[in-house]
Amino acid sequence: MKKTLASLLFLILGFGSFVHADEKSAVWERIYRNAVNDEMRYAVMLNIRELRDRQFGNLLIEALTDLLSRRIELGNNNEVEVKVRLATAIVQELGDLKEVASADQVYQVYKEVVNYPFLKSEAAMSLGKMRASDYIPNLARDLADTNLQPNRDKAAAQEIVAFGLVQSLATMKDARGYEPVFFASIGWYSSQRKVKETSRAMLKIMVDDPTEPLLKIIQNQPTPVNKLKALEAEDESKAPATGKALVALAALEEGVRIVPQDIVEGTQWGDLRKKALAMLVSTKDKTPSAAVLYRQQYKTAALARDTSEILSVLHVLGVNGTPESLTFLIELMSGFNVRANTPGLLTDFDVQMVRTILQSFQIAASPAARPVLIEASYLYTPAVQRDIKTVLNGLPK
């Protein structure tokens, strides 16, 4: 049989250079249809793949349909191995040709193959290449299920299939697949199969604006670590500033709402709040209702004695610059003015906070700050008084 196959391939390759592309395609198609076993079909299929010709679409669909009808995993070991190799070659070619008409058959391969994860993974990736969007809910659900926990006896196979699912959903660039790919990026997978690493890279290019799924994750995830990962994904995305601010405010709301159970958890919630603040500064968010959150965050940070977070809150109040935020800054400045009347009562950090408030007044550039600054003009050290004068001179009248 091998001699017959070799002779047949030699003949077609021998005169292949003397025929037109259409004729060559017709000859290869005829040879494939006349092949008497899967070994010969596989050898012919490898040559068909080299042509990268969309004219083979119907033949490839028929070939895969035939394999499915004969049950790919049915037979002795040698028979199954050859069928798996042939099915893999066909599935890959259908994906490369973006032959969406074959989606049903390719998905059938994905669903029915049990013991050959590489073929299953290739089928998933081919569905992605051909943008078979009808199957996004199915593929997303399968990846979400796999993300939950490994099957002790089949973890390696699960990772192989998960890799294909991540590639497939990311290639389709559909927001419906974003959430399971995100959870794959923080899932249980080992570094060997590159599932997490690939997922992280794909998240940045999968959809331009992942605000909706990431907002859902931040609101529904119980742990601050996962909320922070979602917040970071939003920040690294191409989402508009309004979307990033929306997600950051949601994260901040979560961060001030929860009472930590221990020091470790307190640090994690603090990291989430600080990241949210950094995003609100970078997006120059002006949401009036944010001032309520900043008040709460200031109290939380003060209780935790987190000096860097306190200063960040004071800074973001100036960036926000709304009447609500300015009212809070003025209240704080008034309090420091009262303490400044008693020599030695202000600490070094109090002075640092005063200077940060002055910077925020400068950023907000609102005349509403004038009265409290005039009141403060002679209460502080000469250095602080110079800062106050600079801010006053820059404020509109």
Side-chain angles (χ1 to χ4, degrees), residues 107 110-111 133-145 165 169:
Y107 182 71
Y110 167 78
K111 289 301 291 183
S133 57
D134 287 348
Y135 291 105
I136 289 175
N138 307 69
L139 301 177
R141 184 171 55 250
D142 287 352
L143 181 57
D145 290 344
L165 288 168
L169 291 169

Side-chain angles (χ1 to χ4, degrees), residues 247-297:
V247 173
L249 284 170
L252 185 58
E253 186 172 2
E254 292 290 300
V256 299
R257 179 177 63 84
I258 300 296
V259 178
Q261 299 300 309
D262 52 45
I263 294 175
V264 173
E265 194 175 280
T267 301
Q268 292 171 343
W269 285 109
D271 290 342
L272 177 68
R273 293 192 300 269
K274 289 174 188 175
K275 178 62 180 177
L277 279 186
M279 289 176 62
L280 290 164
V281 169
S282 66
T283 58
K284 297 180 174 60
D285 179 63
K286 304 289 184 183
T287 304
S289 59
V292 175
L293 293 177
Y294 299 148
R295 281 180 177 270
Q296 292 177 275
Q297 185 178 8

